[in-house]
Amino acid sequence: MSLVNIKDLSVCYGAKTVLHNISLVVNPGEGWVIRGESGSGKTTLGRTIAGSVRHSGDVTIHFNTQSPLPATTLFVESWYRFTNLEGDRNFYYQQRYNHQQRRDTVTIARELELFGKEHALNNVRLQELIATLDYTRVLDEQLFEISSGEHKKLQLIKALWLHPQLLIIDQPYTGLDVKSRGRLNELLNAYTGNGGTLILISNDTELPACVNRFAMLKDGRLSTDETAFRFEEKVLKPLPHFLKEPPQYTTQTLIHMKDIHVRYDDKQVLSNIQWQVNAGDRWLLQGHNGSGKSTLLSLITGDHPQAYANDIKLFGVQRGGGESIWDIKRRIGLISPELHWYFDANATVLQSLASGFFDSNGLYRQLRYMQKQQLDELLKFLDLYDVKNELLTTLPLGKQRLALLGRTIIKNPQLLVLDEPCQGLDQQQTQYFNKLVDEISRNGVTIIYVGHFETQLPACITHKLVLENGRSIENNRIATQSR
């Protein structure tokens, strides 16, 4: 008997049909991958199978009553949503670096303890999963302190610990480094080998061996023809004129760090970091999950209070020398997964992009005429003009990221800090954005780009810094790739 039987499934959001007349059969023990461009309905299909979306048509799940596995479906969201101790989600970006406010959420260990008690799970299996995904070092951290990759690992550990009969994972590899992806694939193979049925929502190509079934969504319709899955390369439009203008540098050295140390209680996060970024450099910043990349970047963007306890010069000025955080931020364009988490949920697409002029979490000021002109140019350039008045949170995740990428470049800053900028983008969008970075780099902008995979990077990179356990293990110039 099939585990999942879908017949004539349709889902509409208002007047928009997201899924149209879909039929699908999933048998016990199979490993499926569902692919499609951003906005094609992949996440909606996963949530519908899990029972959380209103629909027409039939979705029937036949659990095996003789199986030792829980007769349940678990849907793992593309990112982890959590609350503080009072049940509130009202976090702000800088809070994760503020030691005085580090006791506002439970620790990872406590979160796992509560999950295990709720589902009466075996602690031995938990320890195996923690060891496999190299998660021991973050167990005493607060939920809002850890990186996007560490949040994804928490989701995956809980899901594999529960080991339901049907497991649906949306974007399983988001934020994971190369080593962690390989170990996750081993765990997913073991999951199906022990009787689980797996559905992955992903456009990644390095899938576990247990994936033996394929489906693709396009225009709300489902196809199981693997040869039909092709991304058409998107042609880069001419850059808006304002992005061709060279930055107005006031100093040749933008970042100078000497003997940088960051510690939380007994935990050393960064140790003895030496780093200099000159005008026009394009740096690649790499390191495994939890290696200290986000903390290092927070010292640059002015979000970390320990910047004042270190020898750091930004744009030629010593930190603590009288400059304000806004003096720093007006020279920087930033995108990161964490900034996306904490962004204003009530902001429209237009307001989200325009807030980049003021480094705010939403738009709270009137725009000048030239700013309005730049905003219109960029909305059209990113193909977001038609949805400019919609709430950012109502867009597919990939388009949300594109909107925030627009926020990053709208003021044509001296320094672009692109922390995993393509997280949540599909293959086509990733290629397009990296071409955009290459094109923007021609004006001489300085770039710090965080990315795990050499095949998903812009060609303009000139330097590389690699962190391991808070220390620098590589810091050098590299050969620029051919365009």
Side-chain angles (χ1 to χ4, degrees):
M1 178 182 292
S2 61
L3 176 62
V4 180
N5 198 309
I6 302 173
K7 186 176 181 181
D8 300 329
L9 168 68
S10 293
V11 173
C12 297
Y13 294 145
K16 181 180 180 181
T17 299
V18 180
L19 300 177
H20 182 73
N21 201 33
I22 287 174
S23 295
L24 181 68
V25 174
V26 177
N27 295 311
E30 289 181 340
W32 281 82
V33 61
I34 300 174
R35 290 176 168 165
E37 295 182 359
S38 177
S40 61
K42 304 185 300 295
T43 298
T44 296
L45 178 56
R47 288 175 174 161
T48 303
I49 296 172
S52 60
V53 175
R54 294 182 63 180
H55 60 275
S56 61
D58 296 323
V59 179
T60 306
I61 300 181
H62 305 280
F63 292 116
N64 181 358
T65 57
Q66 305 302 314
S67 172
L69 305 182
T72 188
T73 300
L74 180 62
F75 180 80
V76 179
E77 297 276 358
S78 58
W79 64 25
Y80 191 62
R81 303 175 189 276
F82 58 93
T83 63
N84 62 14
L85 297 176
E86 283 74 41
D88 189 8
R89 295 185 190 273
N90 189 27
F91 299 102
Y92 59 92
Y93 180 63
Q94 293 84 1
Q95 187 172 353
R96 63 195 299 260
Y97 306 114
N98 193 331
H99 179 80
Q100 300 303 318
Q101 299 183 18
R102 294 180 71 235
R103 301 303 168 199
D104 201 32
T105 59
V106 298
T107 63
I108 307 303
R110 179 59 175 165
E111 177 85 353
L112 289 169
E113 178 187 349
L114 294 172
F115 184 80
K117 287 182 178 179
E118 179 184 356
H119 298 282
L121 300 176
N122 187 317
N123 195 58
V124 173
R125 176 57 178 159
L126 172 62
Q127 298 308 316
E128 292 172 351
L129 291 168
I130 287 173
T132 301
L133 289 176
D134 190 23
Y135 208 59
T136 304
R137 54 192 161 74
V138 300
L139 291 177
D140 292 331
E141 298 293 317
Q142 300 279 300
L143 283 172
F144 67 74
E145 292 175 315
I146 60 177
S147 68
S148 61
E150 290 162 339
H151 272 290
K152 177 57 73 174
K153 286 185 181 182
L154 176 59
Q155 290 178 292
L156 295 167
I157 286 172
K158 292 166 80 171
L160 293 167
W161 190 18
L162 181 63
H163 208 301
Q165 288 190 34
L166 177 59
L167 177 58
I168 306 171
I169 309 178
D170 193 1
Q171 305 300 332
Y173 305 105
T174 295
L176 298 187
D177 56 42
V178 176
K179 182 178 179 181
S180 297
R181 288 189 175 207
R183 290 187 171 184
L184 172 60
N185 283 343
E186 293 173 3
L187 290 170
L188 294 176
N189 288 333
Y191 165 77
T192 57
N194 291 325
T197 301
L198 180 67
I199 299 176
L200 300 181
I201 299 171
S202 175
N203 288 325
D204 287 275
T205 55
E206 297 178 13
L207 299 169
C210 65
V211 170
N212 52 14
R213 297 290 185 272
F214 170 92
M216 183 186 112
L217 277 167
K218 186 174 183 179
D219 300 326
R221 299 178 184 275
L222 190 73
S223 170
T224 55
D225 177 8
E226 186 166 1
T227 62
F229 183 70
R230 295 289 185 272
F231 278 120
E232 296 180 6
E233 185 172 345
K234 188 176 180 181
V235 177
L236 187 67
K237 297 178 181 179
L239 278 183
H241 180 74
F242 74 90
L243 289 177
K244 298 178 182 179
E245 296 292 327
Q248 300 300 308
Y249 293 117
T250 56
T251 179
Q252 179 61 25
T253 301
L254 271 60
I255 301 168
H256 184 270
M257 294 184 168
K258 182 179 179 181
D259 300 328
I260 300 302
H261 294 267
V262 172
R263 175 186 291 273
Y264 300 136
D265 298 326
D266 295 329
K267 181 182 178 181
Q268 191 76 34
V269 180
L270 293 175
S271 181
N272 197 35
I273 299 294
Q274 324 286 333
W275 194 20
Q276 181 167 310
V277 177
N278 294 322
D281 287 352
R282 280 99 61 187
W283 281 83
L284 173 64
L285 176 59
Q286 290 185 317
H288 60 69
N289 298 133
S291 61
K293 301 186 300 296
S294 295
T295 300
L296 181 63
L297 293 179
S298 70
L299 294 171
I300 296 168
T301 58
D303 296 310
H304 203 300
Q306 291 194 37
Y308 297 103
N310 281 281
D311 188 354
I312 302 174
K313 285 186 179 179
L314 299 179
F315 306 101
V317 179
Q318 187 78 28
R319 283 309 311 270
E323 84 295 352
S324 73
I325 188 173
W326 305 112
D327 291 329
I328 295 169
K329 288 184 176 295
R330 67 183 176 85
R331 296 180 171 91
I332 299 174
L334 167 69
I335 182 63
S336 72
E338 292 78 17
L339 183 67
H340 192 173
W341 291 349
Y342 304 131
F343 203 76
D344 186 353
N346 296 313
T348 65
V349 173
L350 184 150
Q351 291 169 337
S352 300
L353 268 75
S355 69
F357 285 121
F358 313 110
D359 306 299
S360 57
N361 191 4
L363 182 61
Y364 313 113
R365 303 187 199 177
Q366 292 294 318
L367 297 178
R368 299 193 304 270
Y369 175 78
M370 287 302 298
Q371 290 174 329
K372 291 179 181 179
Q373 293 295 106
Q374 287 182 213
L375 179 59
D376 276 356
E377 281 189 74
L378 194 53
L379 284 166
K380 292 172 182 176
F381 177 73
L382 295 173
D383 293 325
L384 295 170
Y385 192 83
D386 290 343
V387 295
K388 64 179 181 179
N389 294 319
E390 296 184 18
L391 289 178
L392 179 69
T393 53
T394 64
L395 267 59
L397 180 60
K399 289 191 175 182
Q400 291 183 41
R401 297 289 290 178
L402 283 176
L404 292 180
L405 290 170
R407 175 187 183 272
T408 304
I409 59 179
I410 196 167
K411 63 183 178 183
N412 195 19
Q414 297 177 29
L415 172 64
L416 289 178
V417 179
L418 308 175
D419 185 357
E420 297 193 55
C422 297
Q423 199 177 100
L425 302 188
D426 60 36
Q427 180 182 338
Q428 180 195 51
Q429 290 171 321
T430 297
Q431 291 174 351
Y432 183 80
F433 177 71
N434 284 332
K435 285 184 179 180
L436 171 60
V437 173
D438 285 332
E439 194 64 23
I440 292 175
S441 72
R442 294 177 183 273
N443 74 0
V445 66
T446 307
I447 297 172
I448 300 173
Y449 190 110
V450 180
H452 290 299
F453 300 95
E454 306 294 336
T455 58
Q456 298 179 5
L457 299 174
C460 64
I461 298 299
T462 59
H463 295 73
K464 187 175 184 178
L465 175 66
V466 181
L467 300 182
E468 183 174 296
N469 298 322
R471 295 179 179 273
S472 169
I473 61 170
E474 184 176 345
N475 185 339
N476 55 261
R477 185 178 182 89
I478 61 176
T480 304
Q481 304 174 43
S482 60
R483 293 183 185 274

